Amino acid sequence: MNLAKVRYKQFSQILKNIGENEGGIDKFSRGYESFGVHRCADGGLYCKEWAPGAEGVFLTGDFNGWNPFSYPYKKLDYGKWELYIPPKQNKSVLVPHGSKLKVVITSKSGEILYRISPWAKYVVREGDNVNYDWIHWDPEHSYEFKHSRPKKPRSLRIYESHVGISSHEGKVASYKHFTCNVLPRIKGLGYNCIQLMAIMEHAYYASFGYQITSFFAASSRYGTPEELQELVDTAHSMGIIVLLDVVHSHASKNSADGLNMFDGTDSCYFHSGPRGTHDLWDSRLFAYSSWEILRFLLSNIRWWLEEYRFDGFRFDGVTSMLYHHHGVGQGFSGDYSEYFGLQVDEDALTYLMLANHLVHTLCPDSITIAEDVSGMPALCSPISQGGGGFDYRLAMAIPDKWIQLLKEFKDEDWNMGDIVYTLTNRRYLEKCIAYAESHDQALVGDKSLAFWLMDAEMYTNMSVLTPFTPVIDRGIQLHKMIRLITHGLGGEGYLNFMGNEFGHPEWLDFPRKGNNESYHYARRQFHLTDDDLLRYKFLNNFDRDMNRLEERYGWLAAPQAYVSEKHEGNKIIAFERAGLLFIFNFHPSKSYTDYRVGTALPGKFKIVLDSDAAEYGGHQRLDHSTDFFSEAFEHNGRPYSLLVYIPSRVALILQNVDLPN
C-alpha cells in the first residue's frame, strides 16, 4: 500500500476524532483559553490543569499567604482538575496582576510538589534564584496591534536573530533594544523575514533557547510580553514577517520550573521510561499520540500565532521527532527504506501534519520551515498528497560543504562539480532554504566562515588604512562569492545569521561556568559596520545589494537554475536563473580575457552586481559601462554565448537589458 496514503489516513482519522470529540481542531487548539489561570467576567478566577497522575491539585501564592492546601481543585474526568475562586466582596480580583502563584501537586506516593502551570504566560527568575517564578500576567491594558500582517513574500530572505545577543554590550539585550536598533538594520539590508530564536522561555540561557521550560511564556529575560508584541508589530510596519523558532521536539528536564514530572510521574507530558528521554540532549520527549499532549502542542502553536501575531514557524529538531533513533549515529543516504519503516515515529509525523494543517488554516499566508537533516521525502509536499505540509526545509548540507572545503582543501583543489551538486541537490517541488552558515556554525567549538577564512588577522588587518594582506584579501573575496552562489543557486529561500553578513569576528559563546559567566562572546558588534575605517562595511554593502537585487529580479522564486558550466581547471561556474547570468571564478590567481559563457538569450548584457567593485572591497578590475553582446554561437548547451573578462576570485551577475526588468 502507498505509505503516503497510510500517513494521510492516520492524519485524517485523528482530525476526524478531534472533530467528533472536541468540536473540531479550531476549538481543540484553544486550550490556553481554559487551562491555566483566567480572570472571569465577574472578577473571579477559573483554573484548570491536566495532571492524570496526581492525587490532589491545589493553587497557592501571594494571594493566600502561600497556604498550600486552602484552594483545592475538583477532579474531573480524563485527569483534568478545575477550580473556581470567587471575587472579593468588592468585586476586585483575588489574585492581582504581577502576583506569584504555584500549583501544588500531591502525588500518589505522598509527595508535595510545587509546580508552575504548563500554561503559564509569564515566568521570571529573580536575583540569585535557581528556579523561575510563575507570575500571574493579567495587565489592565493589553497591547493593541497597529499594523496588519504583511503579505507572504514572493521570495524569502531570512535574518536569523537572537534578541539577547543583539547588542554590542556585555549583557542580555532587550526586546526594546532589538526593536529600536536591530529592526532598522535588517530592513536596510534587504531581508523580508526574521526568524526569532530563544523566545519560548528557557531556564538555561546557554541552551540557545532549545531547552524549553515554559512553552506559553515569552522569555522574560528580554522584557515583557507587550514588548515582544511591539517588536513583531514594528517589524510588520516595515513589511517584514516574523517566524518563531518553535521547539516541540523535546523539553527541559527541569521539574521545579518545567514540564518534567508535573504530576509526580515520569509520564504526563512525555513517554515514560527510556523512550521519554533524549540521551544526547539530556531532555524529555513528548508522547505525540496522547490526546492532551496534542491539545497542549497545537494550542501552543495557535497561541504564538494569535497572541503575538507571528507569521509562521521554523520547527526545530524535526529529524529527532521523525525517527525513534532521533537521527543519532545515522547517515542518511537517500534510500527510501530509511524513511519508511518501523524506525519512523508515525505519531510525531502525524502531529507535524496536524500542526501544519492548523497553521495554514488559521493563517493561509503563514510559513513553516522544517529543520530536517535526513531528507524525509514529501516533508514539504501538501498534506492532501500525504506530505508533511511544510513550506520549506533547511538545506543543511550546504553549510557543511563550505566548512569542509575551507578546512580540508586548498583553493585550487575545490571541486566545482561538487559545489554545484551540493547546491542543487534537492527534490523537485520541495522548496529549500539555502544558507552558507547559521547560528550552528557560529557557536563555540566551530567558527564562522569569516573566521575560517581570516582567523587572527581579523584582529589586526581589517583597517582600510592598512594594505590588503593575502589572507584578508582572500577572505573578503571568498566570503562574498560563497554567499552569492548559495543565494543564487542553493534554494528557494535564503537565510543568514545575524552579524555573519558582515563577517562578524570570533565565535558565539553564552555565559556559563566554563567561561566564568562571560558575555564577551554573547553579543553582536554591529558598530563594526558603521566604522568607515574598517573593512566590515564592504561585506555589509555586498549583502545589502545582493538582497536588493534579488528583490528586484526574484531569483529565489524562479525555477531552479540552468548550470551551463562547472569547469574544474578554470574554476568557473556559470548558470542562468530569473533571466540573469551568474558567473563565478573561484580560481585564486587566474583571470580570463574574452571567456565564452553560454546563455539562452540574445541581446545586450550589462553588469548588475560585481563582487570586485570598490564599495565591496574589490579590486575594480571591471568597467561597468561595458556592453556585452551575445551571439548565435552555441556553447555548453546554450544557443547563444558572449565573451566576458572574468578576473580571479570574482562573482558577477549580468542582466540582459533587452528584457523588461
Side-chain angles (χ1 to χ4, degrees):
M1 189 176 179
N2 185 313
L3 286 164
K5 286 184 179 177
V6 172
R7 288 175 177 174
Y8 181 72
K9 186 178 179 182
Q10 183 171 337
F11 157 79
S12 299
Q13 187 58 53
I14 291 182
L15 198 59
K16 183 184 174 189
N17 291 347
I18 290 171
E20 291 173 352
N21 295 288
E22 298 280 352
I25 197 168
D26 180 73
K27 194 174 176 185
F28 188 59
S29 60
R30 296 175 182 269
Y32 54 82
E33 292 181 357
S34 58
F35 285 87
V37 175
H38 300 274
R39 175 160 45 96
C40 303
D42 65 0
L45 278 188
Y46 178 75
C47 314
K48 190 176 181 183
E49 297 296 343
W50 179 64
E55 190 66 32
V57 179
F58 308 84
L59 188 71
T60 188
D62 294 334
F63 76 100
N64 72 341
W66 293 97
N67 182 327
F69 304 124
S70 61
Y71 285 93
Y73 285 62
K74 174 187 167 189
K75 190 172 186 178
L76 306 175
D77 292 337
Y78 308 113
K80 295 172 192 169
W81 302 76
E82 71 174 4
L83 166 66
Y84 173 73
I85 304 176
K88 293 179 181 177
Q89 285 187 338
N90 63 3
K91 297 296 182 186
S92 66
V93 179
L94 187 63
V95 181
H97 167 65
S99 58
K100 292 180 184 177
L101 293 172
K102 279 277 169 69
V103 172
V104 178
I105 304 282
T106 54
S107 73
K108 291 202 163 48
S109 61
E111 288 180 284
I112 300 172
L113 308 167
Y114 285 80
R115 297 287 188 249
I116 290 176
S117 170
W119 305 82
K121 298 170 187 171
Y122 193 63
V123 295
V124 298
R125 177 156 51 197
E126 296 180 341
D128 296 328
N129 290 358
V130 174
N131 297 319
Y132 273 74
D133 287 314
W134 171 20
I135 304 296
H136 180 55
W137 199 257
D138 186 22
E140 188 178 346
H141 302 291
S142 56
Y143 181 81
E144 289 187 20
F145 286 88
K146 303 170 186 67
H147 306 281
S148 57
R149 299 174 189 268
K151 287 184 178 177
K152 187 177 184 175
R154 173 184 66 163
S155 301
L156 203 57
R157 300 182 300 275
I158 304 171
Y159 199 77
E160 186 183 33
S161 305
H162 186 293
V163 171
I165 65 167
S166 63
S167 164
H168 69 274
E169 298 178 73
K171 65 177 186 180
V172 177
S174 66
Y175 296 125
K176 281 277 189 189
H177 170 85
F178 192 94
T179 301
C180 297
N181 298 285
V182 184
L183 283 182
R185 288 185 183 274
I186 296 170
K187 175 68 175 174
L189 282 165
Y191 290 92
N192 57 15
C193 175
I194 298 167
Q195 181 181 298
L196 275 185
M197 309 173 62
I199 294 298
M200 300 165 76
E201 191 60 272
H202 48 293
Y204 185 41
Y205 189 45
S207 75
F208 222 138
Y210 292 121
Q211 294 270 345
I212 307 299
T213 42
S214 290
F215 283 74
F216 286 83
S219 183
S220 61
R221 54 171 57 87
Y222 318 128
T224 66
E226 290 73 26
E227 286 164 349
L228 174 58
Q229 289 167 325
E230 182 187 31
L231 187 162
V232 175
D233 199 21
T234 306
H236 286 169
S237 75
M238 297 176 172
I240 298 171
I241 64 170
V242 189
L243 306 182
L244 176 71
D245 200 349
V246 70
V247 187
H248 283 180
S249 47
H250 63 131
S252 168
K253 266 190 172 177
N254 289 19
S255 54
D257 54 8
L259 289 185
N260 192 24
M261 306 285 289
F262 174 69
D263 65 354
T265 70
D266 81 329
S267 52
C268 199
Y269 285 89
F270 310 107
H271 290 292
S272 61
R275 191 181 172 192
T277 301
H278 195 299
D279 293 331
L280 207 61
W281 295 345
D282 193 32
S283 54
R284 297 303 313 274
L285 299 173
F286 289 106
Y288 299 104
S289 59
S290 165
W291 195 259
E292 291 303 324
I293 292 162
L294 284 178
R295 186 198 308 276
F296 179 78
L297 294 175
L298 291 171
S299 297
N300 191 234
I301 291 287
R302 185 174 193 141
W303 168 258
W304 293 107
L305 280 176
E306 301 210 333
E307 184 73 10
Y308 291 94
R309 298 212 185 164
F310 280 96
D311 302 288
F313 303 94
R314 178 261 202 190
F315 279 76
D316 175 69
V318 168
T319 306
S320 175
M321 295 174 72
L322 289 175
Y323 306 97
H324 294 299
H325 53 60
H326 309 302
V328 178
Q330 302 292 315
F332 291 92
S333 66
D335 189 283
Y336 277 76
S337 64
E338 297 167 344
Y339 308 115
F340 300 97
L342 295 176
Q343 73 275 25
V344 177
D345 188 337
E346 298 291 349
D347 293 330
L349 182 54
T350 302
Y351 162 66
L352 290 170
M353 294 168 76
L354 287 165
N356 277 308
H357 170 75
L358 177 67
V359 169
H360 293 109
T361 300
L362 292 173
C363 304
D365 270 358
S366 57
I367 290 168
T368 58
I369 301 170
E371 189 216 19
D372 170 41
V373 74
S374 76
M376 169 66 80
L379 195 62
C380 300
S381 296
I383 293 169
S384 59
Q385 297 174 12
F390 284 97
D391 295 290
Y392 297 87
R393 70 184 336 135
L394 292 177
M396 299 180 74
I398 295 174
D400 293 344
K401 176 55 62 181
W402 291 124
I403 295 292
Q404 181 198 28
L405 287 171
L406 292 173
K407 282 173 73 173
E408 300 176 15
F409 295 90
K410 296 177 182 175
D411 294 2
E412 54 267 30
D413 294 332
W414 284 19
N415 185 304
M416 300 297 103
D418 192 30
I419 291 171
V420 168
Y421 175 79
T422 303
L423 289 168
T424 57
N425 181 26
R426 54 192 187 272
R427 288 192 185 88
Y428 180 60
L429 295 181
E430 286 200 73
K431 294 189 286 189
C432 289
I433 303 292
Y435 58 106
E437 54 185 334
S438 69
H439 70 272
D440 286 324
Q441 286 70 42
L443 284 170
V444 66
D446 207 337
K447 293 194 278 193
S448 66
L449 288 181
F451 223 55
W452 277 112
L453 286 162
M454 297 177 276
D455 213 10
E457 286 206 22
M458 294 188 81
Y459 297 120
T460 54
N461 296 328
M462 286 299 275
S463 168
V464 297
L465 302 177
T466 61
F468 255 148
T469 65
V471 168
I472 296 295
D473 187 13
R474 169 183 178 264
I476 283 179
Q477 310 320 327
L478 284 179
H479 194 273
K480 293 177 291 186
M481 294 179 72
I482 286 169
R483 281 176 143 61
L484 181 59
I485 197 169
T486 301
H487 207 307
L489 193 57
E492 290 69 39
Y494 178 76
L495 178 143
N496 166 69
F497 178 66
M498 63 188 308
N500 286 355
E501 69 277 3
F502 65 82
H504 197 287
E506 303 175 325
W507 52 89
L508 194 57
D509 191 13
F510 286 85
R512 55 189 173 86
K513 285 182 182 176
N515 64 12
N516 294 317
E517 304 295 337
S518 170
Y519 283 87
H520 181 73
Y521 297 108
R523 59 197 181 112
R524 296 278 95 176
Q525 301 178 63
F526 287 111
H527 61 284
L528 295 174
T529 66
D530 302 331
D531 191 331
D532 242 8
L533 296 178
L534 294 178
R535 291 187 166 112
Y536 296 102
K537 65 180 181 181
F538 298 137
L539 300 179
N540 201 68
N541 292 344
F542 185 78
D543 199 76
R544 176 198 66 209
D545 291 350
M546 174 176 70
N547 282 324
R548 289 181 178 178
L549 199 65
E550 198 289 324
E551 174 66 24
R552 185 175 164 191
Y553 292 101
W555 63 69
L556 290 169
Q560 213 177 114
Y562 182 93
V563 181
S564 62
E565 182 160 353
K566 37 191 176 179
H567 197 293
E568 298 304 338
N570 295 338
K571 301 298 176 200
I572 297 284
I573 294 173
F575 61 87
E576 291 168 282
R577 194 174 185 189
L580 299 173
L581 177 58
F582 293 72
I583 306 169
F584 296 81
N585 179 4
F586 280 98
H587 202 287
S589 57
K590 280 188 184 176
S591 299
Y592 304 100
T593 305
D594 290 341
Y595 195 93
R596 188 170 292 280
V597 180
T599 176
L601 301 169
K604 183 168 77 172
F605 289 75
K606 290 192 82 71
I607 295 170
V608 289
L609 188 65
D610 167 20
S611 68
D612 206 39
E615 61 265 36
Y616 310 138
H619 298 287
Q620 301 171 256
R621 289 168 288 180
L622 286 154
D623 181 358
H624 290 195
S625 65
T626 304
D627 295 330
F628 303 91
F629 293 91
S630 66
E631 52 188 327
F633 188 99
E634 191 275 337
H635 184 71
N636 286 341
R638 306 310 265 166
Y640 301 90
S641 59
L642 60 157
L643 298 174
V644 188
Y645 170 48
I646 316 174
S648 60
R649 284 199 185 121
V650 158
L652 297 174
I653 300 181
L654 275 63
Q655 180 222 348
N656 186 309
V657 295
D658 293 338
L659 290 176
N661 286 355

